[in-house]
Amino acid sequence: MSLLELKDVTKQFGGLTAVGNVNLKVEENMIYGLIGPNGAGKTTIFNLITGIYKTTNGEIYFNDSRIDDLKSFQIADVGVTRTFQNIRLFKNLTTYENILTACHFNTEYSMLDAVFRSKKYVKGEKLLHEQAVELLEIMGLENRKDVVAENLPYGLQRRLEIARALALRPKLLLLDEPAAGMNPEETLQLLDLIRKARDQFKLTILVIEHHMDLIMNLCDKITVLNFGKELAEGVPDDIQNNPHVIEAYLGEGDAEC
Amino acid sequence: MSWYYIEGILILSGINLVAVLGLSLLTGFTGLFSFGHAGFMAIGAYAAAFATMKLGMNFYVALLFGGLMAGIIGYVLGKLTLNLKGDYFIIATLGFGEAMRLILDNIQYFGGARGWPGIANYTNLTNVVIINVIGIIILVNIINSKHGRNMKAIREEEMASNIIGIDVFKYKLKSLMISAVYAGISGGLLAHYIGFLQPKMFQLIKSTELTIIVIFGGLGSVTGSVVGAIVLTALPEVLRNVKEWRLVLYGATVVFIMITRPQGLMGGKEFRVIHIIKRIVSKLKAPLNKEVS
Ligand SMILES: Nc1ncnc2c1ncn2[C@@H]1O[C@H](COP(=O)(O)OP(=O)(O)OP(=O)(O)O)[C@@H](O)[C@H]1O
Ligand SMILES: [Mg+2]
């Protein structure tokens, strides 16, 4: 039984097939890589899994139940969340508030509880505060607690987005180019952080990345996409030596040289 | 200026403030603009007046009744229109506000367009202040809870709100309903202060005035809304002496603030006495520290 399974998933935009008949099986506790040239359909697959787009065809299963007919927030509820290629933080809120907001459904109190400051509210807020502080520490953001998100350096914004996703206690985390725009040192730190998060939160991770050394280092298994179709699937060593993959990445003209 | 005159301005400011507080939740904290909140005020005003004058209900129960009616209509309006993308929702609220006025124009039972005179004057400075204090406490408690944070998240970034599990539609609906209840109560207060109701009182210009106050005070600031409501309600009255230049000066003031402080007077910040004391203390300490080092 796989944690996430895509069966023959297709997404068309007008005449363009952004994703065509893709099959994908991600097992629990795995770090799974999704790579491919620009416009291959990687982000579109994330948008399909998280319900931002509806599939044209095919089915998506999580924990053996269908999720492609759920709304985005319901998919988050069952334990799937993500980061975005172009960072989408709550820009005018602080680092702490970004994380605190995302902790919201780890406690249940009604709006009336809030209005009357009931015991349930006080207890709930205390719990959320503790969780947020814990995440700040794990992600090394505690000294930026009160910095407004849009004023954080770029690398830390990416990190905060991961922290915000972890606040949901997801089972499956989708990372869309988490190392984009990072320098080699930051990328190395990120690698560590992703591994640490996987172990500590018992996560399964699906990651899109263009940094090949990061992907090859990090992933247990990789799927390569090209023009919306699966080009290859396998362990990093196989992928690196697959002639189709080399060709797709270098372009036909270059491959002949 | 006599106290009677000042008291009148304060009561009108307070009545406006109740509606502004609700609108502040919708616009300042949830990021949804409305040009129809005068419609909710109208519902609250007529419903409350109906309750006191025709049913003989207690004034405060009648205010709640008016708020409740506005909230119910807010719920229906939200269900129908909150799925529309941003700008269309604004247009829908605009249509709603004008429709409300036209409907009331044609209900002869409430006096139609000629108006409804002789409503008892139950509103006074004391109950306006008390209702505002309660209104502010409720609003602040909502904002400082996970529910308020979810609304702020929607204001900041709707797609990210979705993927952290916030039911965006539900929270927009809640925010709209709460703001409608506030507007309804404000309408009830107005009816029982002026003692006369006419659909003309709830035109588009009234909705615009409420939105201008929220923006003027600063989106996402409750204290900004309070200051905004008092300043912008009092301003036209203070300027009454300059007659025809009144509205020009009013407009110019708003434009001036918008240009010099685009984030509004308070712009997301709250005015806290403690902060100011802290700042003064740290200023006093600074020279002392210098001497030590
Ligand atoms: N909302 C949309 N409407 C129309 N076309 C779209 C839409 N979203 C994506 N596409 C198209 O689908 C194709 C796949 O895009 P996608 O963003 O999934 O690529 P990607 O693999 O993530 O690329 P990159 O590495 O550049 O991020 C592209 O041709 C893109 O133009
Ligand atoms: Mg992409």
Side-chain angles (χ1 to χ4, degrees), chain B residues 45-259:
Chain B
Y46 278 86
F50 171 75
T52 54
M53 303 311 290
K54 310 267 180 186
L55 305 180
M57 218 185 255
N58 169 284
F59 172 53
Y60 299 98
V61 180
L63 285 180
L64 285 178
F65 174 70
L68 193 70
M69 294 309 283
I72 290 170
I73 303 294
Y75 177 82
V76 175
L77 179 73
K79 270 275 182 197
L80 295 175
T81 61
L82 276 172
N83 269 330
L84 303 174
K85 284 264 173 274
D87 297 348
Y88 293 105
F89 172 72
I90 300 181
I91 293 168
T93 60
L94 203 151
F96 157 76
E98 290 303 278
M100 215 50 245
R101 186 174 61 80
L102 288 172
I103 290 169
L104 287 169
D105 265 347
N106 289 298
I107 300 182
Q108 295 311 324
Y109 182 73
F110 291 143
R114 270 175 297 114
W116 178 1
I119 299 165
N121 297 110
Y122 294 131
T123 303
N124 56 45
L125 189 56
T126 313
N127 56 29
V128 166
V129 168
I130 290 172
I131 288 170
N132 270 300
V133 170
I134 296 172
I136 289 172
I137 290 173
I138 291 176
L139 185 66
V140 169
N141 283 358
I142 290 175
I143 290 166
N144 291 326
S145 75
K146 68 172 200 163
H147 303 288
R149 285 194 296 270
N150 287 354
M151 290 174 188
K152 279 197 258 182
I154 293 168
R155 171 192 76 192
E156 293 293 315
E157 181 41 84
E158 211 171 301
M159 197 186 284
S161 305
N162 265 311
I163 64 98
I164 62 163
I166 296 173
D167 186 343
V168 171
F169 181 79
K170 188 177 97 185
Y171 272 99
K172 283 182 175 176
L173 191 57
K174 279 188 181 178
S175 180
L176 177 62
M177 274 176 69
I178 293 168
S179 74
V181 171
Y182 273 79
I185 290 173
S186 164
L189 286 169
L190 186 68
H192 294 88
Y193 176 64
I194 311 269
F196 172 71
L197 276 178
Q198 204 178 15
K200 242 172 52 184
M201 293 156 65
F202 305 101
Q203 276 172 325
L204 176 59
I205 186 140
K206 184 71 197 176
S207 300
T208 321
E209 183 194 345
L210 297 176
T211 298
I212 287 177
I213 293 176
V214 172
I215 298 173
F216 178 90
L219 292 177
S221 165
V222 179
T223 31
S225 294
V226 176
V227 176
I230 294 172
V231 170
L232 288 191
T233 313
L235 196 62
E237 300 301 328
V238 174
L239 295 175
R240 213 172 264 282
N241 304 325
V242 287
K243 292 217 173 74
E244 58 274 13
W245 289 100
R246 192 161 75 99
L247 286 176
V248 177
L249 281 176
Y250 177 90
T253 311
V254 172
V255 170
F256 176 76
I257 289 284
M258 278 3 293
I259 291 172

Side-chain angles (χ1 to χ4, degrees), chain A residues 50 52 72-73 76-77 81-82 84 88-93 100-102 104-105 107-111 114-115 117 121 125 128 164 168, chain B residues 137-138 140-142 144-168 171 174 178:
Chain A
T50 51
I52 289 169
S72 278
F73 75 90
D77 279 348
T81 192
R82 68 180 289 182
F84 293 91
R88 288 176 185 271
L89 289 168
F90 305 128
K91 280 195 210 124
N92 296 308
L93 305 185
L100 188 67
T101 304
H104 68 104
F105 56 71
T107 182
E108 268 315 318
Y109 63 77
S110 69
M111 215 177 258
V115 167
R117 298 265 149 139
Y121 163 86
E125 280 297 298
L128 294 186
R164 184 181 66 185
L168 271 77
Chain B
I137 290 173
I138 291 176
V140 169
N141 283 358
I142 290 175
N144 291 326
S145 75
K146 68 172 200 163
H147 303 288
R149 285 194 296 270
N150 287 354
M151 290 174 188
K152 279 197 258 182
I154 293 168
R155 171 192 76 192
E156 293 293 315
E157 181 41 84
E158 211 171 301
M159 197 186 284
S161 305
N162 265 311
I163 64 98
I164 62 163
I166 296 173
D167 186 343
V168 171
Y171 272 99
K174 279 188 181 178
I178 293 168

Side-chain angles (χ1 to χ4, degrees), chain A residues 38-39 41-44 85 176-177 208 210:
Chain A
N38 291 110
K42 305 179 297 292
T43 299
T44 305
Q85 185 171 352
D176 197 343
E177 305 199 16
I208 297 174
H210 283 300

